[in-house]
Amino acid sequence: MINKMGLENDIQYVLISEERIKARVRELGEQISRDYAGKNPLLVCILRGACVFFTDLARNITDYMEMDFMAVSSYNDGMTSHGIVRIKKDLDTSIEGRHVIIVEDIMDSGNTLDNLTRLLGTRNPASMRIACLLDKPERRAEGIGISPDYCGFTVPNEFVVGYGLDYADAYRNLPYIGVLKPEVYTNVE
Ligand code: PRP
């Protein structure tokens, strides 16, 4: 059981307001619209954390684009220098020859995106870039050589939730990025 005190009460402070997110997502949408004009990019939503950012970003893209969805979990098997990505739900679309934009909520250690780009790269896309709402570079694992091509905000090493990001599957519906009160996730029974 987690020590919930009420959705808003569990938040220590708002790190990125709804207004700032909205403005930044609009800028990213405009940038992607310019960069991919006439290319009909395939936006790949990595479930579940990216779902809120994904739908807002897509609505700020003003040219043709397509959507697909993928769910993965990443772990390190201790056998290789990088980890392994397990596909829980694969894409329905072939990405061969397509311009792919992977949409994520957060890059933390970077293992998920590192493994995922490695995997999707074997499927011969025409190009592949990463759009990530939050980047937490302080947490990056050793040897990760990638970073988001489109980044919403760089964040400090705090326990962030909201706008798709969860703790124990809660808080994804908050319209802002907040820092969780430590008492919510410490002394968990
Ligand atoms: C989160 C997030 C990224 C990953 C980032 O997913 O959505 O996919 O962790 O961490 P990393 O850079 O250290 O690999 P999570 O496994 O919590 O699943 P969720 O998206 O369903 O919340």
Side-chain angles (χ1 to χ4, degrees):
M1 225 192 97
I2 62 175
N3 305 311
K4 289 178 178 171
M5 296 170 280
L7 191 67
E8 299 272 353
N9 268 333
D10 294 350
I11 302 303
Q12 191 158 43
Y13 62 95
V14 175
L15 182 66
I16 309 169
S17 69
E18 190 174 357
E19 292 71 28
R20 281 184 69 202
I21 295 174
K22 202 170 175 185
R24 185 68 186 126
V25 173
R26 188 180 305 125
E27 284 176 357
L28 291 176
E30 287 168 359
Q31 200 183 339
I32 289 171
S33 303
R34 281 195 300 274
D35 293 352
Y36 287 84
K39 289 186 170 170
N40 189 30
L42 178 70
L43 264 72
V44 172
C45 176
I46 308 303
L47 298 169
R48 290 171 284 177
C51 64
V52 180
F53 173 47
F54 181 81
T55 52
D56 281 349
L57 182 64
R59 281 177 287 186
N60 280 285
I61 293 176
T62 52
D63 200 357
Y64 292 105
M65 56 149 282
E66 294 175 25
M67 296 179 176
D68 206 343
F69 301 85
M70 198 168 184
V72 297
S73 62
S74 188
Y75 62 94
N76 202 315
D77 64 355
M79 303 290 283
T80 51
S81 57
H82 50 83
I84 285 177
V85 66
R86 185 172 75 84
I87 300 174
K88 295 193 278 188
K89 185 228 168 287
D90 206 343
L91 298 171
D92 292 326
T93 317
S94 164
I95 62 168
E96 186 162 359
R98 298 295 306 267
H99 294 284
V100 172
I101 305 175
I102 301 172
V103 181
E104 260 287 27
D105 55 342
I106 188 163
M107 189 166 181
D108 201 328
S109 71
N111 284 322
T112 304
L113 278 166
D114 187 56
N115 294 329
L116 193 59
T117 49
R118 219 182 286 275
L119 172 85
L120 294 182
T122 64
R123 298 182 184 181
N124 302 318
S127 69
M128 188 165 47
R129 283 185 179 162
I130 298 164
C132 202
L133 179 72
L134 305 179
D135 188 11
K136 210 189 249 186
E138 280 175 60
R139 290 261 304 164
R140 201 71 89 247
E142 211 178 310
I144 300 289
I146 56 165
S147 54
D149 300 286
Y150 301 96
C151 175
F153 305 91
T154 300
V155 292
N157 190 14
E158 300 278 6
F159 203 133
V160 286
V161 294
Y163 199 72
L165 288 94
D166 76 310
Y167 169 61
D169 277 324
Y171 310 105
R172 294 192 202 269
N173 55 323
L174 287 172
Y176 51 79
I177 300 290
V179 172
L180 202 56
K181 285 180 182 166
E183 55 263 43
V184 176
Y185 56 87
T186 47
N187 304 318
V188 175
E189 287 167 28

